[in-house]
Amino acid sequence: MKEAIERLAARYGQVLTVYQDEQTHTIRAFLQPDPSRDEQVPDGMSSIGFLDVRRWIYLGTLPLSPGDRVEWENAAFRVCSSRAYAVGTSVLYWWASLEQEEPQ
């Protein structure tokens, strides 16, 4: 089943660059806006200033950890949380919540 997910990502996924510790990986995975967030009002104001609360979702076979950095086209993201999804003892894919970084 993991092979089917890898084939789907190879055919339909985006090309991502992942920075983990001292390593760089170029992979194909799925990166989409988090549909649970209201896209009508993606930002908010707090006592410390303007906050961007947009989140993105990663689905892929490369394990991600909080603090990892992901680049796609001209956008950069920081991994906030992640977890493995498994059937039995086999990890099928990784899900991660990412926060878009401010453009440099």
Side-chain angles (χ1 to χ4, degrees), residues 6-87:
E6 290 171 340
R7 285 193 306 271
L8 285 170
R11 184 165 182 173
Y12 301 109
Q14 294 99 328
V15 175
L16 308 176
T17 304
V18 178
Y19 299 93
Q20 298 175 312
D21 300 319
E22 302 291 321
Q23 297 180 327
T24 302
H25 307 275
T26 301
I27 63 167
R28 290 189 73 101
F30 297 99
L31 184 66
Q32 302 293 319
D34 185 340
S36 67
R37 301 289 181 168
D38 183 2
E39 294 188 34
Q40 300 284 341
V41 184
D43 306 305
M45 184 62 80
S46 76
S47 60
I48 60 170
F50 190 66
L51 300 174
D52 184 349
V53 296
R54 286 176 285 200
R55 296 275 194 256
W56 290 69
I57 294 173
Y58 160 92
L59 295 173
T61 56
L62 179 70
L64 297 183
S65 299
D68 289 347
R69 193 163 180 274
V70 176
E71 290 182 355
W72 172 58
E73 295 187 350
N74 293 325
F77 307 86
R78 183 79 48 194
V79 177
C80 300
S81 65
S82 66
R83 65 177 157 256
Y85 281 83
V87 171

